[in-house]
Amino acid sequence: MVLTLCDDEWRCISDYLQDSALSHVCRRTWAVLQRRHLSWHVNEATISQVVAVLLEWDTAVHTVTLTCSGLKDSGACALASLSEMPRLECLSLYLMRNGIQDQGAIALTTLAQAPCLRFLGLHLYGNKIKLMGALALAKLKIATAPKTVNMDLRGNPIDRHGICAALVFRSVPRLAAVTVNLRGTIIQEKAKDREAPGVGSSGLG
């Protein structure tokens, strides 16, 4: 039965699994599915090279998962170039405990410009994103893509205004699904803001 599947059926199965394993089953699946779903580990030394390879393979790649370590704003800016991939549908970036600040967060918002992007996962736990970065990420709500966003901003020094912007982002009707995780976020506030009504850390989920 497996041998009777057409190429489009193989692609549908592979897209459902979103894994590269199926491409290694036989020569035929390799020819049809190679480079369609990719998952790599990268760091500051390799990120530019990996992005260059992905852009070279642009029309073949549909799903990219990158687990990143040691990235700073320059690495986040390199990742922003993935918005140029014309067939990219699902992008998951695991950027926990890197050194990304506001400039890097702003650069990452460019990813929403990828023309076919349906899912964007930005796992930014434990970075150094403050108000400007949070406000920029909140503007993803007006992007034409993606339809599903999963964003983890826990453990960043974001003030009340940035948190409120992120919470508004969760209620955008254009999005099919959105998750913004803010639990445990470090709230920085100025003295004049302490008496103003706002969202406290205990109210975030």
Side-chain angles (χ1 to χ4, degrees):
M1 177 180 176
V2 172
L3 296 177
T4 64
L5 295 177
C6 68
D7 290 353
D8 284 341
E9 289 171 327
W10 280 116
R11 293 188 185 100
C12 286
I13 296 171
S14 178
D15 290 347
Y16 176 78
L17 297 173
Q18 292 191 8
D19 192 280
S20 62
L22 195 59
S23 65
H24 298 281
V25 170
C26 62
R27 290 183 179 179
R28 183 182 172 197
T29 59
W30 176 251
V32 175
L33 303 174
Q34 61 174 314
R35 302 172 181 169
R36 193 173 181 88
H37 303 289
L38 300 174
S39 180
W40 290 338
H41 286 73
V42 299
N43 55 41
E44 188 74 15
T46 61
I47 185 61
S48 296
Q49 181 180 1
V50 168
V51 169
V53 169
L54 289 171
L55 293 176
E56 182 180 349
W57 294 347
D58 58 359
T59 57
V61 181
H62 286 239
T63 301
V64 173
T65 300
L66 296 179
T67 301
C68 309
S69 60
L71 293 195
K72 300 187 183 302
D73 282 348
S74 57
C77 291
L79 287 170
S81 299
L82 298 179
S83 63
E84 301 172 16
M85 299 179 68
R87 300 287 181 86
L88 183 62
E89 296 181 0
C90 299
L91 177 61
S92 297
L93 299 178
Y94 291 89
L95 295 156
M96 298 82 73
R97 298 186 183 279
N98 282 255
I100 296 173
Q101 302 183 43
D102 284 349
Q103 181 182 354
I106 293 169
L108 290 173
T109 63
T110 306
L111 294 167
Q113 298 176 13
C116 292
L117 195 64
R118 295 185 294 104
F119 173 86
L120 176 61
L122 295 175
H123 304 274
L124 292 161
Y125 170 79
N127 281 275
K128 301 176 182 179
I129 298 170
K130 298 183 180 180
L131 173 61
M132 296 308 297
L135 292 176
L137 290 168
K139 289 181 181 179
L140 285 172
K141 65 187 178 184
I142 61 174
T144 55
K147 295 299 183 184
T148 301
V149 175
N150 186 349
M151 184 160 47
D152 185 352
L153 290 173
R154 293 175 299 158
N156 284 277
I158 301 171
D159 69 9
R160 289 175 180 267
H161 301 292
I163 289 178
C164 288
L167 288 174
V168 170
F169 177 55
R170 295 198 300 187
S171 62
V172 178
R174 179 193 61 77
L175 294 166
V178 59
T179 300
V180 181
N181 193 339
L182 293 163
R183 187 178 299 280
T185 298
I186 304 166
I187 298 179
Q188 291 188 345
E189 53 183 339
K190 298 177 182 178
K192 66 179 181 179
D193 294 331
R194 289 176 184 165
E195 300 301 324
V199 180
S201 58
S202 60
L204 302 177

